[in-house]
Amino acid sequence: MAERPILFNGAMVRAILAGQKTQTRRAVKPQPFEASFLDAPGQYLPSFEEGRLRVATSKGAHLLTCPFGRPGDRLWVRETWAQPTTLDPGPTVYRADYPACVPAGFENVPPAEEIRWRPSIHMPRWACRLVLEITDVRVERLQAISARDCQGEGIESDAGGGFHVEGGTHYSTDPIESFASLWTSTGGDWDSNPWVWVIEFKRVEAAHG
């Protein structure tokens, strides 16, 4: 079993904590340059060979290596974090759900704007509180996402027939349009319909610093 870091923004961390997010899509890099490389029918074969995904195409089988791992591997989540000196010898805290993440018993909890938050990219393994186990990996076009998978990506539905993230952002009456808005907001290109790694996962550990 291998373990690798993965970045999530605050909204997606909250979705994982709430049990709403069980998938993530990340662009394949580099993108396949031959149209026929991945576009053949019947391409997805559910088997890994030496850690690589076997993809059948009209030109034969290709082996693609997912940089995030394979089923059974784990991902530890990097998120915005801090260790406020006003809470000395206080705990590690997390921007995504602060101050709810502060353990009971601590006093003089400072407001979020007074904390010197550390970027997620600089989070060390020991400060991680979320560990995910990969349950499935596949390759598909970004726009091939289903309405059900949009919910796995953290898109919520409401009684009025709308879809959104966290009660209003990226709102649409179509879950795929809502996800497209979310994807674009993180710097992704929806219109080019890139090939993406689809990584499904389950939360297996909550290790607080």
Side-chain angles (χ1 to χ4, degrees), residues 5 16 19 38 41 67 82 85 110 117 132 136 140 144 164-165 193 200 205 209:
I16 293 171
L38 292 174
T85 56
W117 295 102
L132 314 172
D136 187 53
E140 67 182 28
H164 47 78
V165 176
N193 196 23
E200 298 190 24
E205 181 181 330

Side-chain angles (χ1 to χ4, degrees), residues 24-172:
T24 186
R25 281 161 172 73
R26 307 292 167 116
V28 174
K29 297 180 181 180
Q31 286 284 297
F33 59 88
E34 293 182 46
S36 62
F37 183 76
L38 292 174
D39 281 323
Q43 59 184 296
Y44 309 119
L45 303 180
S47 64
F48 275 81
E49 300 178 20
E50 299 178 351
R52 294 176 291 178
L53 184 68
R54 185 157 56 99
V55 179
T57 77
S58 59
K59 293 189 176 182
H62 298 270
L63 297 177
L64 302 180
T65 300
C66 177
F68 299 96
R70 55 177 170 168
D73 287 349
R74 292 187 174 186
L75 301 167
W76 61 273
V77 175
R78 279 179 160 163
E79 57 178 304
T80 304
W81 63 293
Q83 289 183 308
T85 56
T86 51
L87 289 174
D88 279 346
T92 302
V93 295
Y94 306 91
R95 186 67 182 91
D97 60 341
Y98 184 84
C101 61
V102 178
F106 284 90
E107 299 179 353
N108 301 317
V109 178
E113 58 269 19
E114 292 183 8
I115 293 177
R116 184 178 178 182
W117 295 102
R118 304 183 187 184
S120 55
I121 191 66
H122 297 312
M123 172 179 272
R125 175 63 180 87
W126 60 260
C128 164
R129 62 170 171 170
L130 288 173
V131 177
L132 314 172
E133 181 179 313
I134 297 174
T135 58
D136 187 53
V137 177
R138 64 182 184 272
V139 177
E140 67 182 28
R141 288 284 194 183
L142 177 62
Q143 294 180 16
I145 190 171
S146 66
R148 181 176 181 179
D149 281 353
C150 286
Q151 292 183 314
E153 281 276 6
I155 301 298
E156 303 174 36
S157 59
D158 59 37
F163 299 89
H164 47 78
V165 176
E166 294 191 319
T169 63
H170 309 293
Y171 181 87
S172 175

Side-chain angles (χ1 to χ4, degrees), residues 24-28 142 145 153 155 165 170 176-197:
T24 186
R25 281 161 172 73
R26 307 292 167 116
V28 174
L142 177 62
I145 190 171
E153 281 276 6
I155 301 298
V165 176
H170 309 293
I176 295 176
E177 288 184 359
S178 180
F179 174 73
S181 176
L182 174 63
W183 177 270
T184 303
S185 73
T186 60
D189 184 352
W190 173 263
D191 293 334
S192 67
N193 196 23
W195 289 100
V196 293
W197 293 106

